[in-house]
Amino acid sequence: MTLNSSSTFLLQFHIRMHNGQSYSLDFREKAPALAGRNMYLDSSANVIKRKSLDGIMACAVPGSVMGMYEAHKRFGKISWSQLLQPAINLAENGFTLSKTEARKLNRFAALFTKINDPEPAFLLSKTGWKEGDIFINNAMAQTLKLIRDHQADGFYKGITAQKIIAVMNRYGGLISANDLENYRALWRPVINGQYHQLKIISMGPPSSGGILLVQMLSLLQDYPLKQWLWNSARTVQLITEIERRVYADRSKYLGDPDYYHVPVETLLSTDYLHSRMNNYHTDRATESSRIGAGSIPVSEKEETTHFSIVDPEGNAVAVTTTLNGSYGSKVVVSGAGFLLNNEMDDFSIKPGYPNTYGLLGSEANAIEPEKRMLSSMTPTIVEKNGALWMVTGTPGGSTIITSVLQSILNVADFGMNMQQSVSALKFHHQWKPDTIFTERGALLPADSLALSRMGYHLLNRSPIGRLDGILILPSGKLEAGADPRGEDFAIGF
Ligand code: GLY
């Protein structure tokens, strides 16, 4: 099992049983019933900065507890209370903070205090958190015990629900008792695709991840990447042109399938995909402005968590989970020991206005009461010749999809093992802004120069993604890759 340790709640769950059956569970958050399309706009229809990111109005109806409960109900082998106990122990007895965790808590202390009244004592340290401090959260232990004893009702009804509603009332939030009671996790059709002899199984809407990943791999099949070599100018140019086109599709066609007809079949059809490449030229960039409009750079870190698991029977699980930004909305449910998400920012809060990841959206992802916001999460399982081959996924907001793509290509085409693939330096393009973002050193200077001459704008940025993958070797052994960019680790039981 490989774990990424930096975030809290779960979002999308993908499982492949050893008999080859695959299932996708969507426990994406939902807009409250009182939410409306213009809730982040002022009277002049301008976006009120950070209203969808910080504080009570950023919170969507949480889905993670229901998702865990639903997954356990269908596939769990040990009892629900056994499953909860290690988390209760950790909350009650505490765990040791790493340097990064301590630094991050200190960095957000002022915001925790500003947004919450009373201030959330369990998140704050008078002397500042240090590496090695023990982080105890008794209120969280009590909440987990309620969930242990009453299953999902321990969260969505009763004391925990009352505490969430009390916070909503105190700060003027929109989530109601009905929103909590009515929340359901949904089993969704999986997204299937092909890349040479690999079968790709990934997450469908309301995530955009699976569709975009399959679109990209379907197109890449037509080109000899192996021959062109890893991160060569040719390879990067082709992948960039494909990324540009599929992210443009994302902004227009992807949203909650219960509210908007997502044309999945067309988006994945070979004819449609090939038609998208009609204006691809091997010697120059296609400008994004010829494919769509609007451009604002990515300005924030991309949080979220992914873990990949394979058990001794060969069942595989890929889970990508998130509060969205670091510590979500920073709103603490007083007396319950947890933070609420800021997932509302994943909606298109105004047509053409980019979210925190610089992603644009339109009608398909406009805010509507009880709708799920579009995600980029891409928990993915890959088969080779009918057998389980790889489990992969990552945090990273809009870069999730292109990171998962590279984790597969690195092994399938460029001869890397799982750890090398996860560690390899990456690049990312998302249509708008019209920039190839690169990790420092991802491209050789000569390749960067060749791309610049073709009209591409390249920009070094902070590390991209924190992939955690497992590769199943022909011998049946598992080879793990845990991303050195995070405090990730691989472990076998
Ligand atoms: N909150 C990030 C995502 O769902 O893509």
Short mmCIF file of all heavy atoms in Angstrom, two decimals, residues 202 213 217 377-380 390 392-394 399-409 426 467:
data_model
loop_
_atom_site.label_atom_id
_atom_site.label_comp_id
_atom_site.label_asym_id
_atom_site.label_seq_id
_atom_site.Cartn_x
_atom_site.Cartn_y
_atom_site.Cartn_z
N SER A 202 -11.04 4.28 -15.19
CA SER A 202 -10.90 5.48 -14.36
C SER A 202 -12.25 6.07 -14.00
O SER A 202 -13.30 5.50 -14.28
CB SER A 202 -9.99 6.49 -15.07
OG SER A 202 -9.59 7.49 -14.18
N LEU A 213 -8.19 11.67 -19.36
CA LEU A 213 -7.09 10.71 -19.43
C LEU A 213 -7.27 9.77 -20.62
O LEU A 213 -6.33 9.54 -21.40
CB LEU A 213 -7.02 9.90 -18.12
CG LEU A 213 -5.93 8.85 -18.05
CD1 LEU A 213 -4.55 9.49 -18.01
CD2 LEU A 213 -6.12 7.95 -16.82
N LEU A 217 -4.89 9.41 -23.96
CA LEU A 217 -4.20 8.15 -24.30
C LEU A 217 -4.67 7.62 -25.65
O LEU A 217 -3.88 7.08 -26.42
CB LEU A 217 -4.43 7.12 -23.19
CG LEU A 217 -3.63 7.38 -21.91
CD1 LEU A 217 -4.13 6.52 -20.76
CD2 LEU A 217 -2.12 7.15 -22.13
N MET A 377 -10.08 14.86 -10.13
CA MET A 377 -9.50 13.66 -9.49
C MET A 377 -9.56 12.45 -10.43
O MET A 377 -10.55 12.22 -11.10
CB MET A 377 -10.21 13.40 -8.18
CG MET A 377 -9.84 14.47 -7.15
SD MET A 377 -10.53 14.18 -5.55
CE MET A 377 -12.18 14.73 -5.84
N THR A 378 -8.47 11.73 -10.47
CA THR A 378 -8.30 10.67 -11.47
C THR A 378 -7.77 9.38 -10.85
O THR A 378 -6.70 8.89 -11.22
CB THR A 378 -7.33 11.17 -12.58
OG1 THR A 378 -7.65 12.52 -12.93
CG2 THR A 378 -7.41 10.31 -13.84
N PRO A 379 -8.49 8.81 -9.89
CA PRO A 379 -8.04 7.51 -9.37
C PRO A 379 -8.15 6.49 -10.50
O PRO A 379 -9.21 6.34 -11.10
CB PRO A 379 -9.03 7.22 -8.23
CG PRO A 379 -10.24 8.04 -8.53
CD PRO A 379 -9.77 9.23 -9.31
N THR A 380 -7.04 5.82 -10.80
CA THR A 380 -7.00 5.02 -12.05
C THR A 380 -6.39 3.65 -11.82
O THR A 380 -5.41 3.49 -11.09
CB THR A 380 -6.19 5.79 -13.12
OG1 THR A 380 -6.87 7.01 -13.40
CG2 THR A 380 -6.04 5.00 -14.41
N MET A 390 -1.48 -1.74 -13.02
CA MET A 390 -1.06 -0.54 -12.27
C MET A 390 -2.25 0.07 -11.54
O MET A 390 -3.37 0.03 -12.04
CB MET A 390 -0.46 0.50 -13.23
CG MET A 390 0.13 1.71 -12.52
SD MET A 390 0.60 3.06 -13.64
CE MET A 390 2.15 2.47 -14.30
N THR A 392 -2.87 3.91 -9.86
CA THR A 392 -2.17 5.19 -9.80
C THR A 392 -3.13 6.34 -9.52
O THR A 392 -4.34 6.23 -9.73
CB THR A 392 -1.37 5.44 -11.11
OG1 THR A 392 -0.69 6.69 -11.02
CG2 THR A 392 -2.25 5.44 -12.33
N GLY A 393 -2.57 7.43 -9.05
CA GLY A 393 -3.36 8.64 -8.78
C GLY A 393 -2.50 9.64 -8.04
O GLY A 393 -1.39 9.33 -7.62
N THR A 394 -3.03 10.84 -7.88
CA THR A 394 -2.24 11.92 -7.28
C THR A 394 -3.13 13.07 -6.85
O THR A 394 -4.23 13.24 -7.40
CB THR A 394 -1.20 12.45 -8.30
OG1 THR A 394 -0.39 13.46 -7.68
CG2 THR A 394 -1.86 13.07 -9.52
N THR A 399 -3.56 19.66 -12.29
CA THR A 399 -2.41 18.88 -12.79
C THR A 399 -2.55 17.38 -12.51
O THR A 399 -1.70 16.60 -12.93
CB THR A 399 -1.07 19.36 -12.17
OG1 THR A 399 -1.06 19.05 -10.77
CG2 THR A 399 -0.87 20.85 -12.33
N ILE A 400 -3.63 17.01 -11.81
CA ILE A 400 -3.82 15.60 -11.50
C ILE A 400 -3.84 14.76 -12.78
O ILE A 400 -3.17 13.73 -12.91
CB ILE A 400 -5.15 15.38 -10.72
CG1 ILE A 400 -5.05 15.94 -9.30
CG2 ILE A 400 -5.53 13.90 -10.70
CD1 ILE A 400 -6.35 15.86 -8.51
N ILE A 401 -4.61 15.23 -13.74
CA ILE A 401 -4.90 14.40 -14.93
C ILE A 401 -3.62 14.21 -15.75
O ILE A 401 -3.32 13.09 -16.20
CB ILE A 401 -6.01 15.05 -15.79
CG1 ILE A 401 -7.18 15.48 -14.88
CG2 ILE A 401 -6.50 14.09 -16.86
CD1 ILE A 401 -8.21 16.36 -15.55
N THR A 402 -2.85 15.28 -15.91
CA THR A 402 -1.64 15.15 -16.73
C THR A 402 -0.54 14.40 -15.96
O THR A 402 0.30 13.75 -16.57
CB THR A 402 -1.13 16.54 -17.18
OG1 THR A 402 -0.89 17.35 -16.03
CG2 THR A 402 -2.15 17.24 -18.05
N SER A 403 -0.58 14.45 -14.63
CA SER A 403 0.40 13.68 -13.85
C SER A 403 0.10 12.18 -13.95
O SER A 403 1.01 11.36 -14.10
CB SER A 403 0.36 14.10 -12.38
OG SER A 403 0.77 15.42 -12.25
N VAL A 404 -1.19 11.84 -13.86
CA VAL A 404 -1.56 10.42 -13.97
C VAL A 404 -1.18 9.92 -15.37
O VAL A 404 -0.63 8.81 -15.52
CB VAL A 404 -3.07 10.22 -13.68
CG1 VAL A 404 -3.52 8.82 -14.05
CG2 VAL A 404 -3.35 10.48 -12.20
N LEU A 405 -1.43 10.75 -16.37
CA LEU A 405 -1.03 10.38 -17.74
C LEU A 405 0.46 10.04 -17.78
O LEU A 405 0.87 8.99 -18.30
CB LEU A 405 -1.33 11.54 -18.70
CG LEU A 405 -0.79 11.36 -20.11
CD1 LEU A 405 -1.66 10.38 -20.90
CD2 LEU A 405 -0.73 12.69 -20.88
N GLN A 406 1.28 10.93 -17.21
CA GLN A 406 2.74 10.72 -17.28
C GLN A 406 3.16 9.49 -16.46
O GLN A 406 4.10 8.79 -16.83
CB GLN A 406 3.47 11.98 -16.82
CG GLN A 406 3.36 13.09 -17.88
CD GLN A 406 3.80 14.47 -17.37
OE1 GLN A 406 4.97 14.81 -17.45
NE2 GLN A 406 2.86 15.25 -16.85
N SER A 407 2.43 9.22 -15.36
CA SER A 407 2.80 8.03 -14.57
C SER A 407 2.61 6.76 -15.39
O SER A 407 3.36 5.79 -15.22
CB SER A 407 2.01 7.98 -13.26
OG SER A 407 0.66 7.60 -13.46
N ILE A 408 1.63 6.75 -16.27
CA ILE A 408 1.39 5.57 -17.11
C ILE A 408 2.40 5.52 -18.27
O ILE A 408 3.04 4.49 -18.52
CB ILE A 408 -0.07 5.57 -17.64
CG1 ILE A 408 -1.05 5.49 -16.47
CG2 ILE A 408 -0.30 4.42 -18.63
CD1 ILE A 408 -2.50 5.75 -16.85
N LEU A 409 2.56 6.65 -18.96
CA LEU A 409 3.47 6.68 -20.12
C LEU A 409 4.90 6.35 -19.71
O LEU A 409 5.63 5.67 -20.44
CB LEU A 409 3.45 8.06 -20.79
CG LEU A 409 2.14 8.51 -21.44
CD1 LEU A 409 2.29 9.92 -22.01
CD2 LEU A 409 1.69 7.54 -22.53
N LYS A 426 8.03 16.40 -14.25
CA LYS A 426 6.83 16.45 -15.08
C LYS A 426 6.61 17.85 -15.70
O LYS A 426 7.21 18.83 -15.27
CB LYS A 426 5.61 16.09 -14.22
CG LYS A 426 5.64 14.64 -13.74
CD LYS A 426 4.29 14.17 -13.26
CE LYS A 426 3.94 14.64 -11.89
NZ LYS A 426 4.81 14.15 -10.83
N LEU A 467 2.39 11.73 -6.82
CA LEU A 467 1.84 10.46 -7.29
C LEU A 467 2.14 9.32 -6.32
O LEU A 467 3.21 9.28 -5.73
CB LEU A 467 2.47 10.10 -8.63
CG LEU A 467 1.96 10.82 -9.88
CD1 LEU A 467 3.00 10.78 -10.98
CD2 LEU A 467 0.65 10.21 -10.36
#
